[in-house]
Structures are given as C-alpha cells and as structure tokens.
Amino acid sequence: MELKVYLGPMSNQLLTDIDLWEIWVEFDPSDPKHFGTLYVHGEVLTDYKHPRLPVKKIGSQLSKLILQLPSRSHSVNRTKEVLYSEPIRNLNQYTCVEVYVGNELIISLNELEILI
C-alpha cells in the first residue's frame, strides 16, 4: 500500500511509502455483549504540539468507520502515533476504516486482522 502525504501549500514535498497503518480486532470471550475490541493504529505527520493526538469518531455508515484527526498547517514537522479503540458487537460491524486529517482522506483500511 502506498500513501502519499502532501505537506501543505508552502511546500511541494510529497512523502510516500508511509505504510504504518493497521487495524485489528482482539476477541474477548468474557464479554457477552461484545465480540471484542477494534484497534486502529498508525502514524501521521502533524504540527500538533500536545503529547496526545486526538482522534474523533465522526461517524459510521453501513460497515465503514470514519475517524478524523486535527487539521495540519503548512509547518508539518513531527510524526505522531495514532491509536483508536472501540468495543464492537460483532466481527462484521466494520469492514472499512477511513482516516481523515481535517477534511482530507489520508487512508482507507479494509484488511482487518482478528486476534483470538
């Protein structure tokens, strides 16, 4: 998978081959209400200064989970780790996860690993 990230209006640089995203479900047999927990993990270029990069769930349509990270300015200068988790009712609750930075789609993930 190749992801291209535009660094902003002041730069024509393009970073490629950022292949650091993954999604998985950890099965939890002790919780009768949920199949397990969905995890989304990755890295993103940002200018966000706080230690923890906020991830906001902005919706889910059919079986697609949509997450949003804060917008970035032209002074992108650091890589931050992204981690999102959510209990899921069944294994087919989400078959695709889209991650946005502001209004820009940066990655769409549809290969879900199941850990039992």
Side-chain angles (χ1 to χ4, degrees), residues 52-100:
R52 197 165 170 187
L53 188 67
V55 180
K56 183 167 71 172
K57 177 180 175 178
I58 59 173
S60 57
Q61 310 167 346
L62 301 172
S63 59
K64 182 190 309 181
L65 172 64
I66 304 167
L67 302 176
Q68 184 179 44
L69 304 172
S71 296
R72 58 181 169 227
S73 69
H74 65 278
S75 61
V76 175
N77 58 2
R78 60 180 57 107
T79 302
K80 290 258 185 192
E81 185 175 39
V82 175
L83 181 62
Y84 174 83
S85 64
E86 175 184 329
I88 58 171
R89 293 180 306 280
N90 62 62
L91 187 56
N92 297 321
Q93 184 171 337
Y94 299 122
T95 58
C96 178
V97 176
E98 289 184 348
V99 180
Y100 288 79

Side-chain angles (χ1 to χ4, degrees), residues 98-115:
E98 289 184 348
V99 180
Y100 288 79
V101 172
N103 294 323
E104 175 189 359
L105 175 66
I106 62 165
I107 195 158
S108 180
L109 303 157
N110 57 12
E111 294 180 23
L112 182 66
E113 184 176 350
I114 299 137
L115 303 177

Side-chain angles (χ1 to χ4, degrees), residues 2-40:
E2 181 175 329
L3 173 65
K4 296 183 178 181
V5 180
Y6 180 64
L7 293 182
M10 301 301 288
S11 170
N12 290 329
Q13 290 181 309
L14 202 57
L15 295 182
T16 58
D17 297 327
I18 298 177
D19 192 17
L20 304 172
W21 288 88
E22 59 185 338
I23 55 176
W24 72 94
V25 172
E26 287 187 10
F27 176 65
D28 183 2
S30 65
D31 186 351
K33 295 180 185 176
H34 296 97
F35 177 84
T37 303
L38 169 79
Y39 292 93
V40 180

